């Protein structure tokens, strides 16, 4: 797995969102080669997500990164209004950031992804931490995309643990099941960082305290996290929060090396029943004696080393105005 400086150009697709905002800060702090960001409706609308993304990037000193507004609605559906109870009404914990002078590019996120893949053939890494609508639209418009992209890392799904929207469905998959199915069916290498590991990667109270006592960028992220902690404290039973999107970014960068990540088949339940949005991960190969399974292409992260919260806090504290 490459180290951060070797990962190559990265296109980030996100629905900014508090943990998306942390991810933007983390990628900047790690010196990732962020060549473009597209937004999608999820935690907030794609339009508000773009505003948040521009403002967080400017706060972190990267107002130069291009941001494209992506899909407002999931494929075949309608955006349901986001998750204000988790991320606040504005998606970033109701923190009012200084407004970046930058504006979104006029292109769609799908067009940006296709353009960047062609500008960096065989090198671009796609990191998707929101619903997968833009990736699916890009695949539809540009069928050569899988040959052009070096790899895809997604935050989404749940292999062996409960969902967080329904008993079995995780939010990014559930918010556009059709897109998720198309992205997983496409012939490109996908690494899946799901709730199995992201619910166990945590910021604790001491991390929040350290950010709130840090430089202004860290303080702004810490104030957003106060809202996230309010949601997660009853869920986790103590003051803490899960680090979904930042952990996916760390895996994409090679900063976190999974200790268990089998390459196995995975598909999404697109039916209208109670299983809608479930990621069905075929782990029969853990037992001897099953014949080789067709379609074993997806690398499913099931275990990572402990301690990512410390690394993330240290990275965010390096950000300065
Ligand atoms: O299920 C976690 C995912 O949904 C993360 O991407 C988070 O930002 C939320 O939208
Ligand atoms: Ca997200």
């Amino acid at each position: 797995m490459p180290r951060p400086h070797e990962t190559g150009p990265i296109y980030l697709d996100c629905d900014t969102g508090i943990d998306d905002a942390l991810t933007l800060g983390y990628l900047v702090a790690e010196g990732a080669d962020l060549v473009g960001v597209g937004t999608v409706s999820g935690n907030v609308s794609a339009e508000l997500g773009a505003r948040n993304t521009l403002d967080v990037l400017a706060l972190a000193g990267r107002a130069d990164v291009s941001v494209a507004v992506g899909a407002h609605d999931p494929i075949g559906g309608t955006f349901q209004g986001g998750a204000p109870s988790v991320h606040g009404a504005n998606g970033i914990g109701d923190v009012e950031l200084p407004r970046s002078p930058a504006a979104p590019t006029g292109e769609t996120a799908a067009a940006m992804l296709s353009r960047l893949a062609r500008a960096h053939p065989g090198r671009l890494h796609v990191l998707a931490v929101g619903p997968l609508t833009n990736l699916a639209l890009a695949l539809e418009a540009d069928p050569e995309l899988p040959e052009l992209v070096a790899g895809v890392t997604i935050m989404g799904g749940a292999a062996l643990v409960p969902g967080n929207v329904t008993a079995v469905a995780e939010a990014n998959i559930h918010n556009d099941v059709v897109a998720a199915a198309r992205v997983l069916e496409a012939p490109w290498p996908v690494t899946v960082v799901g709730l199995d590991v992201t619910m166990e990667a945590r910021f604790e109270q001491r991390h929040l305290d350290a950010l709130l006592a840090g430089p202004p960028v860290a303080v702004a992220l810490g104030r957003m996290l106060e809202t996230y902690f309010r949601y997660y404290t009853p869920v986790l039973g103590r003051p803490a929060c899960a680090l979904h999107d930042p952990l996916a970014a760390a895996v994409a960068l090679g900063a976190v090396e999974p200790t268990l990540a089998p390459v196995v088949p995975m598909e999404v339940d697109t039916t209208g029943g109670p299983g809608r949005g479930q990621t069905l991960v075929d782990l029969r190969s853990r037992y001897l004696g099953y014949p080789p399974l067709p379609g074993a292409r997806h690398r499913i992260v099931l275990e990572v080393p402990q301690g990512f919260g410390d690394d993330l806090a240290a990275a965010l504290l390096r950000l300065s105005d």
Side-chain angles (χ1 to χ4, degrees):
M1 183 62 77
R3 303 304 303 170
H5 62 282
E6 299 166 346
T7 306
I10 293 177
Y11 164 82
L12 173 69
D13 203 276
C14 57
D15 57 336
T16 313
I18 295 171
D19 60 327
D20 306 75
L22 297 178
T23 302
L24 288 161
Y26 176 70
L27 290 169
V28 171
E30 290 292 301
D33 184 10
L34 193 56
V35 292
V37 182
T39 63
V40 61
S41 294
N43 295 323
V44 291
S45 70
E47 297 77 10
L48 181 52
R51 185 72 257 156
N52 291 342
T53 300
L54 288 164
D55 294 346
V56 172
L57 283 170
L59 187 74
R62 289 299 310 271
D64 59 299
V65 177
S66 296
V67 176
V69 179
H72 179 79
D73 292 316
I75 294 172
T78 307
F79 174 51
Q80 296 296 310
S85 63
V86 183
H87 296 269
N90 74 350
I92 49 174
D94 297 320
V95 173
E96 293 292 335
L97 294 180
R99 189 178 171 93
S100 169
T105 69
E107 65 193 337
T108 65
M112 173 186 267
L113 169 53
S114 182
R115 175 175 62 76
L116 291 171
R118 287 174 183 283
H120 305 279
R123 297 187 61 235
L124 186 72
H125 195 94
V126 177
L127 171 59
V129 297
L132 296 167
T133 320
N134 293 330
L135 273 63
L137 293 175
L139 284 166
E140 187 177 20
D142 187 352
E144 293 176 1
L145 200 58
E147 296 153 37
L148 294 165
V149 162
V152 180
T153 300
I154 69 169
M155 188 283 128
L160 298 170
V161 297
N164 61 0
V165 176
T166 73
V168 294
E170 181 278 331
N172 288 341
I173 304 296
H174 190 262
N175 281 336
D176 194 338
V177 295
V178 174
R182 291 183 189 173
V183 168
L184 289 167
E185 282 162 11
W188 50 12
V190 179
T191 295
V192 179
V193 184
L195 297 179
D196 301 77
V197 283
T198 68
M199 280 297 284
E200 305 306 321
R202 309 259 175 91
F203 264 168
E204 306 286 346
Q205 184 68 49
R206 65 190 159 86
H207 299 112
L208 177 56
D209 292 343
L211 292 176
L212 289 170
V217 184
V219 172
L221 293 171
R223 288 178 51 223
M224 294 177 202
L225 277 162
E226 289 177 321
T227 293
Y228 214 41
F229 267 53
R230 269 195 289 280
Y231 173 78
Y232 269 108
T233 294
V235 173
L236 300 175
R238 64 172 190 276
C241 73
L243 297 171
H244 304 293
D245 297 349
L247 183 66
V251 171
L253 291 180
V256 166
E257 296 276 5
T259 45
L260 181 63
V263 176
V264 294
M266 169 171 159
E267 59 184 313
V268 176
D269 185 336
T270 57
T271 65
R276 184 175 176 82
Q278 182 174 16
T279 45
L280 298 153
V281 180
D282 192 337
L283 293 168
R284 282 177 289 173
S285 54
R286 73 193 297 172
Y287 301 110
L288 297 176
Y290 280 101
L293 301 169
R297 291 187 295 107
H298 304 311
R299 180 174 171 247
I300 314 297
V301 178
L302 295 176
E303 289 177 13
V304 295
Q306 293 187 346
F308 175 61
D310 292 342
D311 297 342
L312 178 61
L316 297 176
L317 284 164
R318 289 200 299 273
L319 292 168
S320 54
D321 288 329

